[in-house]
Amino acid sequence: MKNHVLRPLWFVLIAIALILIVRHFMVPDDFGVHGQNFTYGFHRLGNVDDWKNFKPKYKGREYCQECHEENVVAVNASKHQRIQCENCHGPAIDHPDDPEKLTIDTGRELCLRCHASLDYPDNPRSRIKAIDPDKHNSESACIECHNPHNPNLEEGK
Amino acid sequence: MSCSRRQLLKSGLSTFIAASLPISAFRFLSPAECQAATGKEGTRWGFLVDTNKCVGCGFCVKACKKENEIPYDAPVTRTWVERYVVTKDDKTHIDSPMGGRDGFTSKQIRDDEIKQEDISKTFFVPKLCNQCKNPACVQVCPVGATYQTSDGVVLVDRTWCIGCGYCIMACPYGVRFFHPIHKVAEKCNFCYHRISKGQQTACVEACPFGARQIGNLLDPNDPVTKIIMTERVAVLKDEYGTKPQVFYLGLDMNVR
């Protein structure tokens, strides 16, 4: 065959070979479909474990109860038992080692998440006792009068 | 009555076969037994949102952001809560300030103050990744950085994502965003690190009202699966054919 045909042919073949060599070194070995299909399942297998090893921050009420038994019992007896400890106290992460002390959210805004009156008819929000934040002791913190672990004013003192 | 040899052998054989079949072959199977027999065991994560229970406290959004290390004050979030206020003139007012991270504490919606007497109905709708059976976001990824696991969760490979943003455009539900720190596509993954250890997702655990639940759709005894199989549930944007695995109870037609 003539040279001007062969030359570009060799060029293309070498280019393809180069791409395949580079791909061999660039793409990790565990890349594949792993029993799934190519449309949705083509992935690096190691990434599934990467995500499984992500660190959980929220530990749950049972973890808190191991040391703070009396507080968990108190809140479980009140209307606030449906609220997780960490919703207000922040994620435990590795408490008591790291962080040594949790930052408790004691602001009005936290209580207002549920207790600000929106006055919507037939909304589940309306079943919760609510206040108008501008009129109900707007200068004071809620916890000055209400105990979050037992919000009932008579019992909670 | 006459009977040829061939006929006798034929009917004799069929009687023999019928008699040798055990009674159990004619038993009706429960859906659970059928499923066990067809070998579809394993895990397929599904989510159930009961909009009748959501009060818009936003604890789920707060927990999600802290659990999954999403910058707290950046206007991006893996899950969010939308407020819908439908007025009597048939207008729908929707808002979700900071994804509902701090709850809904005022009646003000965007710049509108809606009068009490104009309100027809109101509801809160929590949203998160639908972990679609046919995820459009996965199809468009040019590098194989996002994929569906064998238990049905769509994950993003942070080391492999090139940040082209195709998936963010492809998702019909707008659940994907660009992670401001890792500079890759980011999305809800049903707290994969938690559910694979047998824990609840951060949002499910944080919800005080049980509006969010997660379960295994392949386990017919799972409480979530039971509700999805027996009650009237809906999915978002069914017409896209993405087959979402997040099911809603009490979904209104105004929800988009």
Side-chain angles (χ1 to χ4, degrees):
Chain A
M1 222 188 288
K2 284 193 180 111
N3 211 15
H4 73 277
V5 178
L6 276 179
R7 219 181 298 149
L9 183 69
W10 282 120
F11 181 79
V12 168
L13 285 176
I14 289 167
I16 292 172
L18 271 176
I19 288 168
L20 287 176
I21 290 166
V22 169
R23 186 185 187 279
H24 177 79
F25 288 107
M26 294 278 291
V27 177
D29 289 338
D30 58 347
F31 232 105
V33 288
H34 309 293
Q36 290 166 262
N37 59 49
F38 267 102
T39 318
Y40 301 126
F42 190 66
H43 66 285
R44 190 171 64 85
L45 192 61
N47 185 247
V48 178
D49 287 327
D50 292 352
W51 277 115
K52 280 183 182 170
N53 296 333
F54 195 80
K55 191 174 169 54
K57 321 281 183 304
Y58 284 80
K59 297 284 187 167
R61 195 182 307 235
E62 288 74 28
Y63 183 81
C64 309
Q65 195 161 7
E66 286 172 23
C67 304
H68 304 284
E69 173 84 30
E70 70 282 12
N71 288 336
V72 175
V73 169
V75 78
N76 277 352
S78 82
K79 280 192 171 176
H80 276 170
Q81 57 92 10
R82 54 172 73 230
I83 301 172
Q84 286 285 332
C85 313
E86 288 162 300
N87 278 4
C88 311
H89 292 261
I93 312 178
D94 286 325
H95 176 76
D97 299 327
D98 176 36
E100 278 179 31
K101 210 161 162 45
L102 297 182
T103 327
I104 311 175
D105 189 348
T106 52
R108 274 175 82 87
E109 282 68 32
L110 185 93
C111 308
L112 291 177
R113 282 169 178 267
C114 297
H115 295 292
S117 171
L118 294 178
D119 211 7
Y120 289 151
D122 299 320
N123 191 299
R125 176 73 166 257
S126 312
R127 285 182 226 137
I128 305 170
K129 276 192 183 171
I131 54 133
D132 183 339
D134 297 330
K135 291 183 186 144
H136 185 95
N137 304 323
S138 56
E139 299 299 311
S140 352
C142 308
I143 55 164
E144 283 175 29
C145 305
H146 303 268
N147 174 1
H149 287 173
N150 188 355
N152 186 309
L153 268 185
E154 282 78 51
E155 298 169 15
K157 278 283 152 182
Chain B
M1 195 183 90
S2 67
C3 178
S4 72
R5 180 193 292 256
R6 179 185 292 259
Q7 257 181 331
L8 179 76
L9 285 173
K10 247 188 179 173
S11 47
L13 190 67
S14 47
T15 316
F16 176 73
I17 291 170
S20 61
L21 277 173
I23 298 293
S24 60
F26 299 97
R27 206 164 47 85
F28 275 101
L29 292 174
S30 72
E33 285 170 307
C34 270
Q35 201 161 44
T38 50
K40 281 187 94 183
E41 276 184 79
T43 315
R44 167 110 218 161
W45 294 108
F47 207 93
L48 181 70
V49 178
D50 191 345
T51 55
N52 300 309
K53 290 180 177 165
C54 183
V55 306
C57 67
F59 274 133
C60 49
V61 182
K62 178 188 174 190
C64 174
K65 288 198 116 173
K66 295 204 166 178
E67 173 73 28
N68 294 298
E69 296 172 15
I70 309 298
Y72 200 66
D73 292 316
V76 288
T77 176
R78 287 183 173 199
T79 183
W80 67 97
V81 180
E82 291 171 359
R83 164 166 64 179
Y84 287 74
V85 175
V86 183
T87 46
K88 285 177 180 153
D89 57 357
D90 235 7
K91 282 201 180 109
T92 312
H93 305 262
I94 312 168
D95 77 335
S96 181
M98 282 303 279
R101 183 194 73 184
D102 301 322
F104 294 84
T105 53
S106 117
K107 298 183 77 164
Q108 180 116 352
I109 295 189
R110 295 172 193 270
D111 296 327
D112 304 332
E113 188 81 55
I114 293 159
K115 284 199 207 97
Q116 183 70 18
E117 60 268 25
D118 293 339
I119 294 175
S120 160
K121 55 181 170 183
T122 61
F123 42 86
F124 297 98
V125 182
K127 289 196 176 170
L128 68 163
C129 174
N130 287 286
Q131 315 292 353
C132 305
K133 243 183 198 162
N134 302 328
C137 56
V138 174
Q139 251 182 27
V140 300
C141 180
V143 293
T146 184
Y147 59 96
Q148 198 174 41
T149 62
S150 50
D151 45 12
V153 178
V154 176
L155 298 178
V156 180
D157 188 340
R158 280 182 178 168
T159 58
W160 212 245
C161 177
I162 56 171
C164 69
Y166 282 4
C167 54
I168 299 170
M169 300 305 292
C171 174
Y173 307 97
V175 303
R176 282 185 176 245
F177 58 92
F178 204 68
H179 196 294
I181 292 169
H182 297 288
K183 311 283 183 203
V184 293
E186 177 75 17
K187 68 183 281 298
C188 157
N189 57 13
F190 278 1
C191 284
Y192 201 63
H193 55 298
R194 297 175 66 92
I195 56 174
S196 52
K197 291 185 191 78
Q199 294 171 306
Q200 298 283 350
T201 71
C203 59
V204 169
E205 196 169 277
C207 180
F209 303 96
R212 291 166 174 257
Q213 282 174 277
I214 188 163
N216 177 8
L217 298 177
L218 292 185
D219 176 7
N221 296 317
D222 191 294
V224 172
T225 312
K226 275 187 179 163
I227 292 175
I228 292 168
M229 288 203 300
T230 56
E231 291 186 35
R232 283 157 282 182
V233 291
V235 293
L236 293 170
K237 296 182 183 169
D238 192 27
E239 65 276 16
Y240 282 72
T242 48
K243 301 249 183 309
Q245 302 296 294
V246 175
F247 298 86
Y248 284 84
L249 278 166
L251 196 66
D252 189 87
M253 62 176 175
N254 287 297
V255 179
R256 291 183 284 264

